[in-house]
Amino acid sequence: MKVNRFAFSFGILAVLIGLIFDIFALFQTIGSTSSATGILWGSIIITVGLAFLSIDHNRIRYTCLTVIGAGLLYYF
């Protein structure tokens, strides 16, 4: 049971840090290479957090995957 609590708390923490990282990188300098790289790293952090969360609700999971996809699309 303690492992599940750790995985859930780590997943929440990673998703929050990824979102903060994405928002900060987006408004740092929109359209620059450093902003795109920051958003890419934020999307990767969110992906790791979602892997630890293993969310059952389809709406939340697909919304988070849309945010990740938008971040990756912004990078490329």
Side-chain angles (χ1 to χ4, degrees), residues 19 22 36 39-40 42-47 50 60-76:
L19 285 174
D22 275 346
I39 289 177
L40 176 68
S43 296
I44 291 170
I45 293 170
I46 291 172
T47 304
L50 285 177
I60 297 170
R61 184 182 333 144
Y62 291 137
T63 303
C64 292
L65 289 175
T66 304
V67 169
I68 292 167
L72 293 176
L73 195 64
Y74 179 79
Y75 178 75
F76 294 110

Side-chain angles (χ1 to χ4, degrees), residues 14 25-26 29-30 36 41 45 53 64:
L26 181 65
T29 50
I30 296 176
W41 280 108
I45 293 170
L53 281 178
C64 292

Side-chain angles (χ1 to χ4, degrees), residues 8-28:
F8 183 76
S9 61
F10 179 76
I12 292 290
L13 181 68
V15 168
L16 290 177
I17 289 174
L19 285 174
I20 291 169
F21 204 79
D22 275 346
I23 291 170
F24 179 73
L26 181 65
F27 291 118
Q28 185 179 8

